[in-house]
Amino acid sequence: MSNLLQEIESKISGAQTSVAKQNVGIVREIGDGVAKIEGLTDAMLNEMLDFGNGVTGLALNLEETEVGAVILGDYTGIKEGQEVRTTGKLLSVPVGKGLLGRVVNTLGLPLDGKGPIKSDVSYPVEKIAPGIIKRKSVGQPLQTGIMAVDAMIPIGRGQRELIIGDRSTGKTTIGIDTIISQAVQNRAAEAAKDTSYRPVYSIYVAVGQKQSNIARVIAVLEEAGAMPYTIIVSASASDSATNQYLAPFAGCSMGEWFMDNGMDALIIYDDLSKHAVAYRQVSLVLKRPSGREAYPGDVFYLHSRLLERSARVNEKYGNGSLTALPIIETQMGDVSAYIPTNVISITDGQIYLETDLFYQGVRPAVSVGLSVSRVGSAAQIKAMKQVAGRIKLDLAQFRELAAFAQFGSDLDAATQAKIERGKRVVEIFKQPQFSPLLVEVQSVILWAAQNGYFDDVAVEKVKDFQKKLVDYLTNRKADLMGRLSKEKAFSDAIAGDFKSAIAEFKQTYK
Amino acid sequence: MSKQAKRDAKSLFRNCQINGILDEKRVLQTVDEVLKRKPRGFGAILSHFQRLIKLDEAARTAKIESATALTPDLQNNYKEILTKRYGQGLYFIFQENPGLLGGVRVQVGSDVFDGTVRARLNELNESFKAA
Ligand SMILES: Nc1ncnc2c1ncn2[C@@H]1O[C@H](COP(=O)(O)OP(=O)(O)O)[C@@H](O)[C@H]1O
Ligand SMILES: [Mg+2]
């Protein structure tokens, strides 16, 4: 070699110190979308791995002699003996307001054909939940607009409330209604230039559902004008188990961004039963040991670390929140199966939907006795607190007495009256889908029921009476409604005015 | 493969190390001994043992590839730098690979330092694809 060449050579090798270290491995085995890779001694859990040609994998099993990775996307081109490298990056998704109005997949890539996502920030999909020092107790309501829920199972911002029931009992509908309700309230506050109202942004994560179901949800949200405040993360039944397993975590990161930036967000996981099944499948191909119902032993941890990320953070950290409504689908009402028990124990309460009620026409089919919210009542506005406590009691008494009355025993007048009141309250709580009610409206209806204004209305006319009463109050007594929404309580003065207003309405009602 | 077999293989492997460096004589003795006694699941134990040896060998092998042959001086230079970084007991392979076009690629175990022209061209190519 000439001197010149040698000199160049040594210059190049002198520059070696500036060459970044990479960590590589060799594919030893590939199948089912999972690669076993020898080497990669520096790989981190959940690190993205570069398989070349734009194919990415995710390191999920770190063992002494090899790394187990799932391939995100097309794995047919991957061959044994091929080189793989670490990227130093954890699996991340784009976050931010640019995602609102969009439908994306697990990686945050658009599925709606509306062009690239505008985002310059990304979050890893697995993040550590806010610690106890950052958290604050739940104190502000998240109005679902569903009267049975807001009155009897109230949800606070930052809470985790499970929606549980058999298939086709209205679980998804409750989630969608809640999203629509947020959009309605956000828009109302914008129109009124009410800067004290904290808007709620929603994320709907569809896991393992049929494409047609997801399309229906999107159509409903679009129709209701809720999309500008909503992100949809979709991993349908036809997506890989890996994508289904990761989708809730991706959605959660998008929600966390709002929380971290001092805003409020709501996330619906529809549903975690299918999520657990997807995780079982991923674990199976990674040959992880399995336990009860063939689920991997850490499926509890999977759901707890997901739901732990919902919180309300305190003022010092921006006062943001992430409320979670996970959905679980039971089989024949069995809440004692493995996954339901796990998720029940992680959440702050549950909205339990019953098939029997659904078919009796009680919709939403909320079981009052079996549903609880362990933290939400602290977040109810005063007007609602004033009426809701008694209503729940009335309803519970009614259930007992109604069962008793079936035996045909003679009932005294007081008992008879309680039963009649109860029948009307059941009617009042029936609510069609996609029509959320504002909390002032809900509390006035319940106040009227409690003060006997429904007692002389025939049971089958209750819904009609309710609707016309609400129309009358919102159109003709807008001032009074305005006072109630400002004061948020039934003061003596407001109660007196409602008494005369409702009496007036009853004169005209036929 | 059972966890027990992996554990057994690992402890045999540790017994073959002297001051953290694998001793070839002990490795061969161990294999002979296991084959003589044939403990339960010895097939699995030996195959995992072999795997550990292979990985250890890979981790101790430094492969230095360059487009043109390196002078003995430069070779020594590399040996010194790599020993400083990875410790004693490295086994060095120097290889000529004109396909790299220029520069040097060093691999020790699964660590790679790639400063070749080929790697930079590949990177450039990928960056065009991504855009
Ligand atoms: N409050 C309601 N009033 C009338 N129909 C409802 C109501 N809630 C749900 N439904 C109907 O019941 C069916 C099942 O609801 P869905 O929310 O999809 O159930 P799930 O998610 O539990 O399977 C849907 O056709 C839906 O339109
Ligand atoms: Mg559903």
Side-chain angles (χ1 to χ4, degrees), chain B residues 80-107:
Chain B
E80 215 172 287
I81 295 170
L82 292 172
T83 302
K84 228 181 249 167
R85 186 170 180 135
Y86 290 94
Q88 292 291 333
L90 280 183
Y91 169 63
F92 294 95
I93 301 174
F94 288 92
Q95 244 173 31
E96 223 177 306
N97 181 354
L100 300 178
L101 301 176
V104 178
R105 181 188 198 270
V106 177
Q107 175 157 10

PDB file of all heavy atoms in Angstrom, chain B residues 80-107:
ATOM      1  N   GLU B  80      -4.965  -3.186  21.490  1.00  0.00           N
ATOM      2  CA  GLU B  80      -4.792  -2.435  22.735  1.00  0.00           C
ATOM      3  C   GLU B  80      -6.095  -1.746  23.169  1.00  0.00           C
ATOM      4  O   GLU B  80      -6.550  -1.894  24.302  1.00  0.00           O
ATOM      5  CB  GLU B  80      -3.724  -1.373  22.487  1.00  0.00           C
ATOM      6  CG  GLU B  80      -2.828  -1.081  23.668  1.00  0.00           C
ATOM      7  CD  GLU B  80      -1.700  -0.168  23.226  1.00  0.00           C
ATOM      8  OE1 GLU B  80      -0.777  -0.640  22.513  1.00  0.00           O
ATOM      9  OE2 GLU B  80      -1.789   1.037  23.544  1.00  0.00           O
ATOM     10  N   ILE B  81      -6.690  -1.014  22.194  1.00  0.00           N
ATOM     11  CA  ILE B  81      -7.924  -0.272  22.501  1.00  0.00           C
ATOM     12  C   ILE B  81      -9.034  -1.219  22.968  1.00  0.00           C
ATOM     13  O   ILE B  81      -9.714  -0.967  23.961  1.00  0.00           O
ATOM     14  CB  ILE B  81      -8.406   0.516  21.255  1.00  0.00           C
ATOM     15  CG1 ILE B  81      -7.381   1.594  20.897  1.00  0.00           C
ATOM     16  CG2 ILE B  81      -9.763   1.146  21.512  1.00  0.00           C
ATOM     17  CD1 ILE B  81      -7.648   2.269  19.554  1.00  0.00           C
ATOM     18  N   LEU B  82      -9.164  -2.328  22.248  1.00  0.00           N
ATOM     19  CA  LEU B  82     -10.267  -3.244  22.569  1.00  0.00           C
ATOM     20  C   LEU B  82     -10.041  -3.971  23.893  1.00  0.00           C
ATOM     21  O   LEU B  82     -10.986  -4.219  24.636  1.00  0.00           O
ATOM     22  CB  LEU B  82     -10.491  -4.234  21.422  1.00  0.00           C
ATOM     23  CG  LEU B  82     -11.046  -3.573  20.150  1.00  0.00           C
ATOM     24  CD1 LEU B  82     -11.063  -4.564  18.984  1.00  0.00           C
ATOM     25  CD2 LEU B  82     -12.451  -3.019  20.385  1.00  0.00           C
ATOM     26  N   THR B  83      -8.787  -4.294  24.182  1.00  0.00           N
ATOM     27  CA  THR B  83      -8.494  -4.958  25.457  1.00  0.00           C
ATOM     28  C   THR B  83      -8.789  -4.015  26.616  1.00  0.00           C
ATOM     29  O   THR B  83      -9.297  -4.426  27.657  1.00  0.00           O
ATOM     30  CB  THR B  83      -7.024  -5.421  25.499  1.00  0.00           C
ATOM     31  OG1 THR B  83      -6.794  -6.290  24.398  1.00  0.00           O
ATOM     32  CG2 THR B  83      -6.734  -6.161  26.803  1.00  0.00           C
ATOM     33  N   LYS B  84      -8.500  -2.732  26.393  1.00  0.00           N
ATOM     34  CA  LYS B  84      -8.796  -1.745  27.427  1.00  0.00           C
ATOM     35  C   LYS B  84     -10.303  -1.715  27.705  1.00  0.00           C
ATOM     36  O   LYS B  84     -10.739  -1.609  28.836  1.00  0.00           O
ATOM     37  CB  LYS B  84      -8.321  -0.361  26.948  1.00  0.00           C
ATOM     38  CG  LYS B  84      -7.497   0.378  28.014  1.00  0.00           C
ATOM     39  CD  LYS B  84      -7.078   1.729  27.511  1.00  0.00           C
ATOM     40  CE  LYS B  84      -5.577   1.815  27.268  1.00  0.00           C
ATOM     41  NZ  LYS B  84      -5.215   3.015  26.494  1.00  0.00           N
ATOM     42  N   ARG B  85     -11.058  -1.839  26.630  1.00  0.00           N
ATOM     43  CA  ARG B  85     -12.498  -1.710  26.782  1.00  0.00           C
ATOM     44  C   ARG B  85     -13.160  -3.000  27.273  1.00  0.00           C
ATOM     45  O   ARG B  85     -14.085  -2.964  28.083  1.00  0.00           O
ATOM     46  CB  ARG B  85     -13.110  -1.292  25.442  1.00  0.00           C
ATOM     47  CG  ARG B  85     -14.575  -0.992  25.555  1.00  0.00           C
ATOM     48  CD  ARG B  85     -15.116  -0.355  24.286  1.00  0.00           C
ATOM     49  NE  ARG B  85     -16.539  -0.091  24.494  1.00  0.00           N
ATOM     50  CZ  ARG B  85     -17.125   1.036  24.163  1.00  0.00           C
ATOM     51  NH1 ARG B  85     -16.449   1.992  23.601  1.00  0.00           N
ATOM     52  NH2 ARG B  85     -18.415   1.186  24.401  1.00  0.00           N
ATOM     53  N   TYR B  86     -12.688  -4.146  26.739  1.00  0.00           N
ATOM     54  CA  TYR B  86     -13.389  -5.407  27.051  1.00  0.00           C
ATOM     55  C   TYR B  86     -12.613  -6.338  27.980  1.00  0.00           C
ATOM     56  O   TYR B  86     -13.098  -7.402  28.329  1.00  0.00           O
ATOM     57  CB  TYR B  86     -13.741  -6.146  25.752  1.00  0.00           C
ATOM     58  CG  TYR B  86     -14.831  -5.448  24.968  1.00  0.00           C
ATOM     59  CD1 TYR B  86     -14.520  -4.542  23.959  1.00  0.00           C
ATOM     60  CD2 TYR B  86     -16.173  -5.678  25.261  1.00  0.00           C
ATOM     61  CE1 TYR B  86     -15.511  -3.881  23.247  1.00  0.00           C
ATOM     62  CE2 TYR B  86     -17.175  -5.033  24.564  1.00  0.00           C
ATOM     63  CZ  TYR B  86     -16.842  -4.133  23.562  1.00  0.00           C
ATOM     64  OH  TYR B  86     -17.837  -3.494  22.887  1.00  0.00           O
ATOM     65  N   GLY B  87     -11.403  -5.985  28.343  1.00  0.00           N
ATOM     66  CA  GLY B  87     -10.640  -6.834  29.255  1.00  0.00           C
ATOM     67  C   GLY B  87      -9.796  -7.867  28.534  1.00  0.00           C
ATOM     68  O   GLY B  87      -9.871  -8.018  27.307  1.00  0.00           O
ATOM     69  N   GLN B  88      -8.994  -8.591  29.345  1.00  0.00           N
ATOM     70  CA  GLN B  88      -8.096  -9.614  28.798  1.00  0.00           C
ATOM     71  C   GLN B  88      -8.888 -10.787  28.225  1.00  0.00           C
ATOM     72  O   GLN B  88     -10.058 -10.960  28.531  1.00  0.00           O
ATOM     73  CB  GLN B  88      -7.171 -10.128  29.913  1.00  0.00           C
ATOM     74  CG  GLN B  88      -6.156  -9.111  30.419  1.00  0.00           C
ATOM     75  CD  GLN B  88      -5.092  -8.785  29.382  1.00  0.00           C
ATOM     76  OE1 GLN B  88      -4.788  -9.596  28.516  1.00  0.00           O
ATOM     77  NE2 GLN B  88      -4.542  -7.579  29.464  1.00  0.00           N
ATOM     78  N   GLY B  89      -8.196 -11.586  27.410  1.00  0.00           N
ATOM     79  CA  GLY B  89      -8.800 -12.835  26.949  1.00  0.00           C
ATOM     80  C   GLY B  89      -9.543 -12.712  25.633  1.00  0.00           C
ATOM     81  O   GLY B  89     -10.264 -13.613  25.241  1.00  0.00           O
ATOM     82  N   LEU B  90      -9.395 -11.597  24.943  1.00  0.00           N
ATOM     83  CA  LEU B  90     -10.059 -11.453  23.648  1.00  0.00           C
ATOM     84  C   LEU B  90      -9.313 -12.255  22.585  1.00  0.00           C
ATOM     85  O   LEU B  90      -8.086 -12.380  22.609  1.00  0.00           O
ATOM     86  CB  LEU B  90     -10.083  -9.977  23.225  1.00  0.00           C
ATOM     87  CG  LEU B  90     -11.137  -9.070  23.836  1.00  0.00           C
ATOM     88  CD1 LEU B  90     -11.017  -7.672  23.228  1.00  0.00           C
ATOM     89  CD2 LEU B  90     -12.532  -9.624  23.628  1.00  0.00           C
ATOM     90  N   TYR B  91     -10.072 -12.768  21.641  1.00  0.00           N
ATOM     91  CA  TYR B  91      -9.510 -13.522  20.545  1.00  0.00           C
ATOM     92  C   TYR B  91      -9.730 -12.675  19.286  1.00  0.00           C
ATOM     93  O   TYR B  91     -10.863 -12.282  18.987  1.00  0.00           O
ATOM     94  CB  TYR B  91     -10.239 -14.869  20.489  1.00  0.00           C
ATOM     95  CG  TYR B  91      -9.972 -15.689  19.275  1.00  0.00           C
ATOM     96  CD1 TYR B  91      -8.680 -16.166  19.009  1.00  0.00           C
ATOM     97  CD2 TYR B  91     -11.011 -16.017  18.389  1.00  0.00           C
ATOM     98  CE1 TYR B  91      -8.449 -16.939  17.882  1.00  0.00           C
ATOM     99  CE2 TYR B  91     -10.774 -16.786  17.276  1.00  0.00           C
ATOM    100  CZ  TYR B  91      -9.494 -17.246  17.019  1.00  0.00           C
ATOM    101  OH  TYR B  91      -9.258 -18.003  15.910  1.00  0.00           O
ATOM    102  N   PHE B  92      -8.627 -12.320  18.607  1.00  0.00           N
ATOM    103  CA  PHE B  92      -8.742 -11.342  17.512  1.00  0.00           C
ATOM    104  C   PHE B  92      -8.760 -11.988  16.128  1.00  0.00           C
ATOM    105  O   PHE B  92      -7.984 -12.895  15.846  1.00  0.00           O
ATOM    106  CB  PHE B  92      -7.578 -10.338  17.572  1.00  0.00           C
ATOM    107  CG  PHE B  92      -7.627  -9.466  18.785  1.00  0.00           C
ATOM    108  CD1 PHE B  92      -6.915  -9.800  19.931  1.00  0.00           C
ATOM    109  CD2 PHE B  92      -8.406  -8.311  18.791  1.00  0.00           C
ATOM    110  CE1 PHE B  92      -6.971  -9.001  21.055  1.00  0.00           C
ATOM    111  CE2 PHE B  92      -8.462  -7.503  19.922  1.00  0.00           C
ATOM    112  CZ  PHE B  92      -7.746  -7.848  21.060  1.00  0.00           C
ATOM    113  N   ILE B  93      -9.657 -11.497  15.297  1.00  0.00           N
ATOM    114  CA  ILE B  93      -9.673 -11.926  13.898  1.00  0.00           C
ATOM    115  C   ILE B  93      -9.593 -10.668  13.034  1.00  0.00           C
ATOM    116  O   ILE B  93     -10.424  -9.760  13.192  1.00  0.00           O
ATOM    117  CB  ILE B  93     -10.989 -12.659  13.552  1.00  0.00           C
ATOM    118  CG1 ILE B  93     -11.171 -13.885  14.447  1.00  0.00           C
ATOM    119  CG2 ILE B  93     -11.020 -13.056  12.077  1.00  0.00           C
ATOM    120  CD1 ILE B  93     -12.519 -14.566  14.243  1.00  0.00           C
ATOM    121  N   PHE B  94      -8.609 -10.633  12.165  1.00  0.00           N
ATOM    122  CA  PHE B  94      -8.514  -9.502  11.225  1.00  0.00           C
ATOM    123  C   PHE B  94      -8.897  -9.998   9.842  1.00  0.00           C
ATOM    124  O   PHE B  94      -8.403 -11.031   9.393  1.00  0.00           O
ATOM    125  CB  PHE B  94      -7.100  -8.919  11.224  1.00  0.00           C
ATOM    126  CG  PHE B  94      -6.800  -8.159  12.488  1.00  0.00           C
ATOM    127  CD1 PHE B  94      -6.216  -8.801  13.570  1.00  0.00           C
ATOM    128  CD2 PHE B  94      -7.129  -6.811  12.590  1.00  0.00           C
ATOM    129  CE1 PHE B  94      -5.957  -8.108  14.745  1.00  0.00           C
ATOM    130  CE2 PHE B  94      -6.868  -6.109  13.758  1.00  0.00           C
ATOM    131  CZ  PHE B  94      -6.285  -6.756  14.838  1.00  0.00           C
ATOM    132  N   GLN B  95      -9.807  -9.281   9.215  1.00  0.00           N
ATOM    133  CA  GLN B  95     -10.284  -9.737   7.923  1.00  0.00           C
ATOM    134  C   GLN B  95     -10.285  -8.595   6.917  1.00  0.00           C
ATOM    135  O   GLN B  95     -10.598  -7.456   7.262  1.00  0.00           O
ATOM    136  CB  GLN B  95     -11.717 -10.255   8.075  1.00  0.00           C
ATOM    137  CG  GLN B  95     -11.836 -11.735   7.765  1.00  0.00           C
ATOM    138  CD  GLN B  95     -13.227 -12.235   8.084  1.00  0.00           C
ATOM    139  OE1 GLN B  95     -14.196 -11.503   7.979  1.00  0.00           O
ATOM    140  NE2 GLN B  95     -13.316 -13.489   8.487  1.00  0.00           N
ATOM    141  N   GLU B  96      -9.989  -8.974   5.671  1.00  0.00           N
ATOM    142  CA  GLU B  96     -10.032  -7.985   4.606  1.00  0.00           C
ATOM    143  C   GLU B  96     -11.366  -8.132   3.883  1.00  0.00           C
ATOM    144  O   GLU B  96     -11.795  -9.247   3.613  1.00  0.00           O
ATOM    145  CB  GLU B  96      -8.897  -8.286   3.625  1.00  0.00           C
ATOM    146  CG  GLU B  96      -8.157  -7.061   3.173  1.00  0.00           C
ATOM    147  CD  GLU B  96      -7.014  -7.455   2.264  1.00  0.00           C
ATOM    148  OE1 GLU B  96      -6.195  -8.306   2.710  1.00  0.00           O
ATOM    149  OE2 GLU B  96      -6.973  -6.953   1.142  1.00  0.00           O
ATOM    150  N   ASN B  97     -12.048  -7.032   3.638  1.00  0.00           N
ATOM    151  CA  ASN B  97     -13.350  -7.098   2.969  1.00  0.00           C
ATOM    152  C   ASN B  97     -13.512  -5.875   2.080  1.00  0.00           C
ATOM    153  O   ASN B  97     -13.980  -4.823   2.509  1.00  0.00           O
ATOM    154  CB  ASN B  97     -14.455  -7.161   4.041  1.00  0.00           C
ATOM    155  CG  ASN B  97     -15.837  -7.247   3.423  1.00  0.00           C
ATOM    156  OD1 ASN B  97     -16.002  -7.157   2.204  1.00  0.00           O
ATOM    157  ND2 ASN B  97     -16.834  -7.424   4.268  1.00  0.00           N
ATOM    158  N   PRO B  98     -13.146  -6.004   0.792  1.00  0.00           N
ATOM    159  CA  PRO B  98     -13.184  -4.856  -0.121  1.00  0.00           C
ATOM    160  C   PRO B  98     -14.585  -4.263  -0.255  1.00  0.00           C
ATOM    161  O   PRO B  98     -14.734  -3.076  -0.560  1.00  0.00           O
ATOM    162  CB  PRO B  98     -12.721  -5.448  -1.461  1.00  0.00           C
ATOM    163  CG  PRO B  98     -12.074  -6.748  -1.121  1.00  0.00           C
ATOM    164  CD  PRO B  98     -12.681  -7.238   0.139  1.00  0.00           C
ATOM    165  N   GLY B  99     -15.592  -5.080   0.008  1.00  0.00           N
ATOM    166  CA  GLY B  99     -16.985  -4.606  -0.100  1.00  0.00           C
ATOM    167  C   GLY B  99     -17.290  -3.460   0.845  1.00  0.00           C
ATOM    168  O   GLY B  99     -18.277  -2.740   0.675  1.00  0.00           O
ATOM    169  N   LEU B 100     -16.472  -3.270   1.862  1.00  0.00           N
ATOM    170  CA  LEU B 100     -16.712  -2.185   2.823  1.00  0.00           C
ATOM    171  C   LEU B 100     -16.291  -0.834   2.259  1.00  0.00           C
ATOM    172  O   LEU B 100     -16.602   0.205   2.823  1.00  0.00           O
ATOM    173  CB  LEU B 100     -15.949  -2.452   4.128  1.00  0.00           C
ATOM    174  CG  LEU B 100     -16.304  -3.750   4.857  1.00  0.00           C
ATOM    175  CD1 LEU B 100     -15.441  -3.911   6.104  1.00  0.00           C
ATOM    176  CD2 LEU B 100     -17.773  -3.775   5.242  1.00  0.00           C
ATOM    177  N   LEU B 101     -15.552  -0.872   1.122  1.00  0.00           N
ATOM    178  CA  LEU B 101     -15.109   0.323   0.388  1.00  0.00           C
ATOM    179  C   LEU B 101     -14.038   1.142   1.088  1.00  0.00           C
ATOM    180  O   LEU B 101     -13.124   1.663   0.471  1.00  0.00           O
ATOM    181  CB  LEU B 101     -16.299   1.240   0.043  1.00  0.00           C
ATOM    182  CG  LEU B 101     -17.382   0.578  -0.822  1.00  0.00           C
ATOM    183  CD1 LEU B 101     -18.553   1.544  -1.030  1.00  0.00           C
ATOM    184  CD2 LEU B 101     -16.811   0.125  -2.158  1.00  0.00           C
ATOM    185  N   GLY B 102     -14.154   1.280   2.409  1.00  0.00           N
ATOM    186  CA  GLY B 102     -13.156   2.050   3.163  1.00  0.00           C
ATOM    187  C   GLY B 102     -13.548   2.046   4.617  1.00  0.00           C
ATOM    188  O   GLY B 102     -14.696   1.735   4.951  1.00  0.00           O
ATOM    189  N   GLY B 103     -12.600   2.329   5.502  1.00  0.00           N
ATOM    190  CA  GLY B 103     -12.930   2.359   6.919  1.00  0.00           C
ATOM    191  C   GLY B 103     -12.898   0.978   7.552  1.00  0.00           C
ATOM    192  O   GLY B 103     -12.528  -0.012   6.910  1.00  0.00           O
ATOM    193  N   VAL B 104     -13.292   0.911   8.810  1.00  0.00           N
ATOM    194  CA  VAL B 104     -13.165  -0.323   9.582  1.00  0.00           C
ATOM    195  C   VAL B 104     -14.461  -0.644  10.310  1.00  0.00           C
ATOM    196  O   VAL B 104     -15.173   0.264  10.748  1.00  0.00           O
ATOM    197  CB  VAL B 104     -12.017  -0.169  10.616  1.00  0.00           C
ATOM    198  CG1 VAL B 104     -11.877  -1.422  11.468  1.00  0.00           C
ATOM    199  CG2 VAL B 104     -10.698   0.122   9.904  1.00  0.00           C
ATOM    200  N   ARG B 105     -14.748  -1.946  10.400  1.00  0.00           N
ATOM    201  CA  ARG B 105     -15.906  -2.391  11.171  1.00  0.00           C
ATOM    202  C   ARG B 105     -15.400  -3.334  12.249  1.00  0.00           C
ATOM    203  O   ARG B 105     -14.704  -4.310  11.945  1.00  0.00           O
ATOM    204  CB  ARG B 105     -16.889  -3.121  10.260  1.00  0.00           C
ATOM    205  CG  ARG B 105     -18.152  -3.596  10.968  1.00  0.00           C
ATOM    206  CD  ARG B 105     -18.971  -4.480  10.027  1.00  0.00           C
ATOM    207  NE  ARG B 105     -20.354  -4.634  10.470  1.00  0.00           N
ATOM    208  CZ  ARG B 105     -20.761  -5.596  11.273  1.00  0.00           C
ATOM    209  NH1 ARG B 105     -19.894  -6.480  11.744  1.00  0.00           N
ATOM    210  NH2 ARG B 105     -22.035  -5.687  11.621  1.00  0.00           N
ATOM    211  N   VAL B 106     -15.728  -3.006  13.496  1.00  0.00           N
ATOM    212  CA  VAL B 106     -15.285  -3.835  14.615  1.00  0.00           C
ATOM    213  C   VAL B 106     -16.501  -4.455  15.292  1.00  0.00           C
ATOM    214  O   VAL B 106     -17.469  -3.755  15.572  1.00  0.00           O
ATOM    215  CB  VAL B 106     -14.512  -2.979  15.653  1.00  0.00           C
ATOM    216  CG1 VAL B 106     -14.120  -3.834  16.854  1.00  0.00           C
ATOM    217  CG2 VAL B 106     -13.288  -2.345  15.011  1.00  0.00           C
ATOM    218  N   GLN B 107     -16.457  -5.766  15.531  1.00  0.00           N
ATOM    219  CA  GLN B 107     -17.535  -6.395  16.287  1.00  0.00           C
ATOM    220  C   GLN B 107     -16.944  -7.210  17.427  1.00  0.00           C
ATOM    221  O   GLN B 107     -16.080  -8.064  17.229  1.00  0.00           O
ATOM    222  CB  GLN B 107     -18.390  -7.297  15.389  1.00  0.00           C
ATOM    223  CG  GLN B 107     -19.452  -8.062  16.177  1.00  0.00           C
ATOM    224  CD  GLN B 107     -20.627  -8.522  15.342  1.00  0.00           C
ATOM    225  OE1 GLN B 107     -20.613  -8.440  14.125  1.00  0.00           O
ATOM    226  NE2 GLN B 107     -21.668  -9.016  16.012  1.00  0.00           N
TER     227      GLN B 107
END
